[in-house]
Structures are given as structure tokens and as C-alpha cells.
């Protein structure tokens, strides 16, 4: 494994793991009032684009990390939109 590939794997692991506590807390408490809809919509869309980019250049670590992060940010985004539609925010 090259140094750049190792660096990519470590970066992917760090950024993906960083989202797990927020997603877990959001799912458990169903509270999103302190979260920004703009932040999570941009993050969700951005990680989808990073996934597509990874697919186009055949970069598995990039695809895997962004698929997981998009899923986690997508869940948070979904709960945020639900709360806004229900008038809780």
C-alpha cells in the first residue's frame, strides 16, 4: 500500500467515524433543533458528489467513506426535515 493510499484510508476512517456520535444521538433522541438544515443538506449533497467522483476515478476508499458518511448525514437530514414539517422547529 502506498503512503498516499494509507493516508486516504486514515482520513476516510477519521471523517466517517466522526459522524457516528451525531447520527446515534439524533436517532436516539429524535432532537434536531440545534442542527443546521443548511449544513446537513450541503454535507449530504457533497458526500454524494464525492462518492460519484470516487466511482468515476475508481477509488474504493473514497467511495466507501463517502457512502457511509452520506448515509449518516442523510439520516440526520431526514430527521431534521421531519421535525421542520411537524412544526417542532
Amino acid at each position: 500500500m502506498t503512503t498516499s493510499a494509507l493516508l486516504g484510508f486514515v482520513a476516510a476512517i477519521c471523517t466517517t467515524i466522526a459522524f457516528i456520535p451525531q447520527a446515534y444521538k439524533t436517532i436516539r433522541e429524535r432532537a434536531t433543533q440545534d442542527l443546521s438544515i443548511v449544513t446537513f443538506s450541503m454535507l449530504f449533497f457533497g458526500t454524494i458528489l464525492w462518492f460519484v467522483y470516487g466511482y468515476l476515478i475508481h477509488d474504493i476508499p473514497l467511495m466507501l467513506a463517502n457512502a457511509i458518511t452520506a448515509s449518516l448525514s442523510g439520516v440526520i437530514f431526514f430527521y431534521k426535515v421531519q421535525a421542520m414539517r411537524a412544526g417542532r422547529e
Side-chain angles (χ1 to χ4, degrees), residues 28-60:
R28 187 187 59 199
E29 296 177 5
R30 306 226 193 256
T32 60
Q33 64 271 11
D34 294 333
L35 304 176
S36 167
I37 187 73
V38 174
T39 297
F40 280 94
S41 61
M42 289 175 62
L43 181 65
F44 179 64
F45 185 64
T47 53
I48 295 295
L49 293 176
W50 273 115
F51 175 85
V52 171
Y53 175 71
Y55 176 78
L56 293 173
I57 65 169
H58 307 290
D59 189 323
I60 300 297

Side-chain angles (χ1 to χ4, degrees), residues 1-20 47 50 59-69:
M1 180 178 294
T2 66
T3 303
S4 61
L6 181 61
L7 182 65
F9 272 115
V10 172
I13 290 167
C14 289
T15 57
T16 301
I17 288 174
F19 255 89
I20 293 172
T47 53
W50 273 115
D59 189 323
I60 300 297
L62 189 63
M63 291 169 54
L64 184 60
N66 283 288
I68 294 168
T69 305

Side-chain angles (χ1 to χ4, degrees), residues 17-28 31 35 40 72 76:
I17 288 174
F19 255 89
I20 293 172
Q22 185 65 62
Y24 177 75
K25 181 178 179 185
T26 302
I27 292 166
R28 187 187 59 199
L35 304 176
F40 280 94
L72 295 171
I76 294 168

